Amino acid sequence: MIVRWETDHDYVLVHIHQDMLGDWIFSRAWGQIGTQFGGLKHQLADTLAQAHMWLEDETTIQASRGFRKVLEVADNSPEGQEAMRQLSLLDTV
């Protein structure tokens, strides 16, 4: 699952996925739109339910900061693949 929030200048993207060992990973990327300023953080969740709880928390936080949700897709969809491509670019910075 991939969820993205934006303001006029900033974005936050969350990706919940399972790694090769079956662990649930909660990845969060943030930054300024159109620049390379930002960051990327990965957290290991104990369960998928915990990762979804973190996503609910993130949704509340971003709404309180004036961000609007612009994307919520499965990571294997075409839109999800494009979001993953952008996320992988941050991983190398």
Side-chain angles (χ1 to χ4, degrees):
M1 166 181 279
I2 297 172
V3 182
R4 181 178 169 114
W5 299 267
E6 293 181 358
T7 64
D8 291 339
H9 305 287
D10 301 311
Y11 72 91
V12 175
L13 184 139
V14 167
H15 179 215
I16 298 173
H17 60 284
Q18 224 171 359
D19 67 10
M20 292 187 306
L21 301 175
D23 293 324
W24 287 101
I25 309 297
F26 183 92
S27 299
R28 181 180 181 273
W30 64 93
Q32 294 176 348
I33 295 172
T35 72
Q36 291 187 344
F37 295 110
L40 177 63
K41 181 179 180 182
H42 303 285
Q43 293 176 264
L44 178 63
D46 292 331
T47 63
L48 178 58
Q50 182 181 38
H52 281 282
M53 183 183 68
W54 291 345
L55 178 60
E56 289 174 20
D57 292 346
E58 193 69 38
T59 299
T60 301
I61 291 166
Q62 298 315 321
S64 73
R65 293 179 177 170
F67 281 71
R68 64 192 177 283
K69 187 187 295 184
V70 296
L71 179 70
E72 184 170 351
V73 295
D75 49 2
N76 60 355
S77 68
E79 297 89 355
Q81 291 297 315
E82 175 60 19
M84 287 306 303
R85 188 187 69 73
Q86 292 174 12
L87 188 62
S88 68
L89 292 174
L90 287 175
D91 228 354
T92 60
V93 175

